[in-house]
Amino acid sequence: MNHEEAKARVAQLTEKLERWTYEYYVLDNPSVSDAEFDRHMNELILLEQQYPDLRSKNSPTQRVGGQVLDSFKKIPHKRLMLSLGNAYNEDDMRDFDRKIREILHKDVVDYMGEVKIDGLGMSLVYDQGELQYCVTRGDGVMGEDVTSNVITIPSIPLHVKEKRPFEVRGEVYMPKASLEKLNRAREEAGEPLFANARNAAAGSIRQLDSAVARSRGLDAYWYYLVNARELGQTIHSNSLDFLDGLGFRTNPERRRLHGIEEALAYIEEYTEKREKLGYDIDGLVFKVDDLSEYEKIGYTAKTPKWAIAYKFPPMEVSTKLIDIVLTVGRTGRITPNAVLEPVRVQGSLVQRATLNNEDFIKDKGLMIGDTVILRKAADVIPEVVRPVISMRDGTQTPFHMSENCPECGQPLTRVQGLHYCLNEECPSRKIEAMIHFSSRDAMDIDGMGSAVVEELFAEGFIHDIPDLYHIHEHVAEIKALDGWSDKSISSLCEAIEKSKEKSLERLLFGLGIKEVGLKTAKILARRYRQLDDFLSLDADELQKIDDIGPIVAKSIVAYFQDEKNREMIERLRQNGVNFAYLGTDTVDVNNFFYGKTVVLTGTLTRYSRDEMTNILEGIGAKCSGSVSKKTDVVIAGPGAGSKLEKAQQLGILVIDEEEALAHLSTLRQ
Ligand code: IVH
């Protein structure tokens, strides 16, 4: 066969294999036998080996998996990948409907009802009829390029007849049957089980070896055509039919609903049906069907207002409370935890639940050995609701709070109903502090999870946070430990090195200052911009900041006045850890407002002034209260007075709310 003939044959085989894959995996209606399929696939593999230039990126042979990556590339989303607001009951749903009817001046609105699959949000980008790449949701602004894994899902089209560029979003998920099979195999191999389908799907998509991802039996449904209007679509439900026609797997449970009453009936129907589906759903999604109304209805900072996720109520099950054990947190707080007989609740395997504190256990009257009622919603931590008194048989024993730390044995101190181990040398506290410092939202040191911290602590290589930056001095010793390789230790060292460049808010959060969560850390970092500024702060000054109350302020000041903490900060400085606010980590630097100083004046209608300030600061603008030469843009609403005048005198760009929203909407769809 010459090159020309081979080329024609490759095209023919590709077309056939794609068509058969579609028939089998999307239509569930195969027209050829497996043997026939394999014969064609093998022929294509051989031809591509013979003529490597004929192997395209989107060849069906590439679905087989086998590409092994070092890491995933980060890709910015072309349009923000938003999440959805939640509704928990009929009232919330009626509110949602009422607001939309008010905006649209309509008595009845048509919605699309869809199931909300509990998986992993994913975006596929196509151009010229070819899949370009697949990207995870990430933080909504940036995702990870997981193409090599996603294309192993056979139902995903690699080629489509639509040649114009488009982006389609949906959910990659693990069907119940795949999860059961996977967990059975893991159990036999003595490996830890996946708690639920979502974790299992996420874990599979994050596999660097695409052959492993392929073996996990994932599938996907597609529910949103991002640039539908550009492609001439005016109605969301029609755009799903359009996707269907292009070969995408769309969910058959979807339904067009005329008005809120039909939406509520759909909820009732699926509250029953959900158990019978082959995949876990944690709710239903309702979207206004008329795409031309979306801009008018608008967006909040993170969610569209034209859609809502209805979440199913939490489910209750009973199980046995085997024991109550104490854990020590990074602040020394002691938490009692329920050890439960493993039980499945709403798709998750639960075997532990926090019991908060001694009074919680007393108030509920829990005894060790009790049968207890457990409640869990898909995105909520499991909660022990009450004991079943009628199930007591005399073997139950009361719980007594220990007087000593379970880790270091020091006497505990009780403060406002909570127990603390105040021993700063308590190993548990030190370990928890390092785990927290390394965690994803803090310094994001990949590979420095709880097991590694515990191991390196036990081996004596690390004692406190600054020691993390000396791990490279122990490479040879660590390599000698079980389960470590050149590669794992060098990627850990790399991750540690990378963490030195993180922005201030992550460091502030990572230090584990009492009362300072991620949100407060962000506010503080944006306000002060340098860790050194915190060393001389007083509580009065801090309290002037919105959102910072007296308790938080006191805790921050106490932390930075503590000599031991100041020493630790000095050691971090010596190790080259960045102390400055960089403020660019998740922001699209191409947005109109990025780096600009903005002043808001007059009345805003879509957002309150606080909301608008938050949105603008969130995308890298600085908001200021007064107009000066440094001001770049003034957003003026009706009733604007002296600030507007001053801006005009200084020749500063003035825009109205609508224009501001237009700049924001280029960020989202
Ligand atoms: S629409 C702007 N539809 O739920 C469009 N999302 O809680 C936003 N999800 O991030 C998404 N099923 O990952 C939509 N039928 C469905 C969905 C769905 C599951 C996920 C999605 C989203 C999350 C929001």
Side-chain angles (χ1 to χ4, degrees):
M1 194 182 290
N2 66 29
H3 190 273
E4 205 50 33
E5 286 160 352
K7 190 171 172 189
R9 182 66 181 151
V10 164
Q12 196 181 35
L13 289 167
T14 301
E15 189 277 320
K16 276 188 180 172
L17 287 163
E18 287 295 278
R19 181 155 45 82
W20 293 339
T21 307
Y22 171 71
E23 288 168 355
Y24 188 101
Y25 288 98
V26 182
L27 302 181
D28 209 2
N29 185 17
S31 65
V32 292
S33 67
D34 289 0
E36 178 90 346
F37 184 94
D38 290 347
R39 209 165 45 72
H40 283 73
M41 182 62 93
N42 288 334
E43 189 186 338
L44 183 57
I45 292 171
L46 285 176
L47 269 177
E48 286 180 350
Q49 274 168 5
Q50 218 178 331
Y51 301 97
D53 64 302
L54 295 180
R55 178 188 299 137
S56 73
K57 172 172 132 243
N58 282 338
S59 163
T61 58
Q62 299 308 300
R63 286 194 196 271
V64 179
Q67 198 186 344
V68 182
L69 302 176
D70 286 335
S71 65
F72 297 112
K73 202 170 72 194
K74 287 226 158 71
I75 301 191
H77 290 293
K78 293 189 181 165
R79 305 260 177 91
L80 279 189
M81 206 157 159
L82 300 171
S83 68
L84 295 173
N86 292 329
Y88 296 97
N89 50 44
E90 185 180 330
D91 283 352
D92 294 349
M93 286 299 298
R94 287 192 186 277
D95 267 359
F96 165 73
D97 176 59
R98 184 179 41 76
K99 283 185 193 142
I100 289 179
R101 281 188 293 107
E102 278 170 12
I103 296 172
L104 302 182
H105 304 295
K106 276 190 172 166
D107 293 333
V108 182
V109 176
D110 285 324
Y111 297 104
M112 188 67 180
E114 299 167 22
V115 290
K116 183 170 184 299
I117 299 174
D118 205 8
L120 206 67
M122 192 69 65
S123 209
L124 308 180
V125 174
Y126 288 81
D127 194 6
Q128 289 162 30
E130 294 251 2
L131 175 65
Q132 302 297 322
Y133 57 85
C134 315
V135 55
T136 60
R137 196 177 111 78
D139 61 5
V141 181
M142 271 300 199
E144 285 182 317
D145 180 347
V146 287
T147 312
S148 56
N149 286 337
V150 175
I151 60 169
T152 68
I153 300 172
S155 65
I156 291 178
L158 302 175
H159 304 96
V160 288
K161 61 174 187 274
E162 175 59 64
K163 300 288 180 250
R164 291 173 289 180
F166 68 95
E167 180 165 354
V168 51
R169 291 182 179 165
E171 206 80 355
V172 169
Y173 68 94
M174 186 171 285
K176 284 179 189 166
S178 300
L179 179 64
E180 271 161 35
K181 191 169 145 218
L182 175 61
N183 269 346
R184 231 178 295 126
R186 289 176 77 89
E187 195 159 14
E188 273 164 31
E191 289 165 346
L193 305 189
F194 282 109
N196 57 46
R198 191 214 322 225
N199 290 357
S204 306
I205 284 299
R206 297 217 39 149
Q207 284 290 330
L208 292 170
D209 180 350
S210 61
V212 177
R214 175 170 184 260
S215 73
R216 295 285 175 84
L218 298 172
D219 211 334
Y221 276 121
W222 304 97
Y223 47 65
Y224 185 55
L225 177 59
V226 179
N227 53 334
R229 302 208 51 206
E230 275 166 37
L231 300 186
Q233 299 294 319
T234 55
I235 305 289
H236 170 64
S237 51
N238 293 346
S239 74
L240 293 182
D241 296 339
F242 171 77
L243 285 178
D244 211 78
L246 288 181
F248 289 91
R249 194 161 171 266
T250 55
N251 193 290
E253 314 295 336
R254 68 181 184 271
R255 190 176 307 159
R256 261 198 98 169
L257 304 162
H258 183 59
I260 181 69
E261 300 306 330
E262 287 193 23
L264 294 171
Y266 182 76
I267 289 180
E268 201 164 318
E269 182 179 333
Y270 276 85
T271 306
E272 291 296 314
K273 269 196 193 157
R274 58 185 293 213
E275 292 294 324
K276 298 193 187 80
L277 300 173
Y279 42 85
D280 286 328
I281 63 173
D282 61 341
L284 301 168
V285 178
F286 296 89
K287 298 173 189 162
V288 171
D289 210 18
D290 188 342
L291 297 169
S292 63
E293 310 280 27
Y294 284 16
E295 278 314 304
K296 195 152 150 205
I297 302 170
Y299 299 83
T300 70
K302 291 222 169 71
T303 62
K305 292 186 185 173
W306 41 260
I308 197 153
Y310 169 83
K311 293 286 187 82
F312 290 125
M315 241 160 40
E316 292 190 345
V317 296
S318 70
T319 187
K320 198 161 172 190
L321 175 60
I322 302 170
D323 199 0
I324 296 177
V325 296
L326 303 179
T327 52
V328 190
R330 67 192 147 83
T331 57
R333 183 171 154 190
I334 309 288
T335 308
N337 291 282
V339 180
L340 303 161
E341 209 159 82
V343 61
R344 287 188 72 80
V345 207
Q346 230 159 277
S348 301
L349 192 68
V350 178
Q351 35 200 347
R352 284 270 187 147
T354 176
L355 295 174
N356 303 312
N357 53 57
E358 188 182 16
D359 290 345
F360 180 91
I361 299 170
K362 276 197 191 140
D363 292 348
K364 297 209 179 280
L366 294 173
M367 289 175 83
I368 295 168
D370 263 337
T371 298
V372 293
I373 301 294
L374 193 72
R375 178 163 54 194
K376 187 178 177 304
D379 49 2
V380 170
I381 38 181
E383 178 194 359
V384 174
V385 187
R386 59 176 182 276
V388 186
I389 309 277
S390 61
M391 295 287 280
R392 288 205 175 137
D393 58 7
T395 60
Q396 286 70 24
T397 51
F399 167 74
H400 296 292
M401 189 73 189
S402 165
E403 303 204 333
N404 298 88
C405 173
E407 287 300 328
C408 68
Q410 287 247 348
L412 299 179
T413 309
R414 194 179 155 120
V415 187
Q416 290 170 342
L418 301 177
H419 289 80
Y420 289 91
C421 168
L422 296 183
N423 173 16
E424 290 189 358
E425 298 306 312
C426 176
S428 270
R429 289 185 58 177
K430 302 224 142 184
I431 289 172
E432 291 302 324
M434 287 187 274
I435 295 172
H436 173 74
F437 184 83
S438 314
S439 64
R440 172 97 72 109
D441 286 340
M443 299 296 266
D444 193 20
I445 306 182
D446 209 14
M448 202 68 181
S450 50
V452 170
V453 172
E454 277 165 26
E455 183 183 19
L456 299 184
F457 183 88
E459 295 290 337
F461 300 137
I462 49 176
H463 308 91
D464 60 8
I465 290 171
D467 281 352
L468 296 174
Y469 293 101
H470 292 273
I471 283 182
H472 62 275
E473 293 161 15
H474 301 282
V475 167
E477 296 147 277
I478 296 172
K479 217 159 56 190
L481 301 174
D482 257 4
W484 286 92
S485 64
D486 276 340
K487 180 144 190 255
S488 60
I489 177 86
S490 76
S491 31
L492 180 63
C493 289
E494 238 171 73
I496 292 170
E497 204 48 40
K498 238 169 70 187
S499 75
K500 291 183 182 173
E501 306 305 323
K502 295 276 147 98
S503 183
L504 175 61
E505 68 278 13
R506 288 173 168 274
L507 177 59
L508 272 176
F509 176 60
L511 290 175
I513 306 165
K514 253 193 224 165
E515 313 292 340
V516 178
L518 194 54
K519 192 170 159 230
T520 305
K522 277 187 188 155
I523 294 170
L524 291 170
R526 269 195 210 124
R527 171 76 177 73
Y528 292 103
R529 301 189 164 255
Q530 265 296 336
L531 190 65
D532 288 288
D533 288 1
F534 290 87
L535 298 171
S536 54
L537 275 181
D538 66 52
D540 289 345
E541 197 183 331
L542 273 166
Q543 277 186 64
K544 284 189 201 138
I545 305 175
D546 282 351
D547 297 316
I548 309 264
I551 297 175
V552 184
K554 218 173 121 190
S555 166
I556 296 169
V557 172
Y559 181 90
F560 286 102
Q561 289 313 314
D562 185 319
E563 220 25 69
K564 286 211 182 72
N565 294 334
R566 293 174 84 98
E567 251 169 57
M568 184 171 83
I569 288 168
E570 281 318 306
R571 282 170 62 211
L572 288 174
R573 188 201 308 276
Q574 281 156 22
N575 289 318
V577 174
N578 168 56
F579 281 9
Y581 176 60
L582 306 174
T584 52
D585 41 3
T586 59
V587 173
D588 171 8
V589 296
N590 293 320
N591 84 65
F592 172 78
F593 290 108
Y594 180 80
K596 294 204 166 105
T597 299
V598 184
V599 174
L600 303 175
T601 177
T603 316
L604 301 182
T605 53
R606 178 73 68 78
Y607 298 110
S608 71
R609 199 172 294 192
D610 276 353
E611 278 173 333
M612 192 58 145
T613 304
N614 271 340
I615 294 170
L616 291 172
E617 291 188 345
I619 58 172
K622 261 184 269 168
C623 289
S624 156
S626 58
V627 176
S628 74
K629 271 188 281 182
K630 289 198 190 123
T631 310
D632 295 302
V633 188
V634 171
I635 302 176
S642 59
K643 286 183 199 172
L644 176 58
E645 268 171 37
K646 182 149 186 210
Q648 283 162 343
Q649 276 166 17
L650 292 172
I652 290 163
L653 175 64
V654 177
I655 62 177
D656 62 8
E657 183 178 13
E658 205 156 307
E659 203 175 328
L661 293 173
H663 283 302
L664 288 174
S665 74
T666 59
L667 278 167
R668 55 170 70 105
Q669 166 88 42

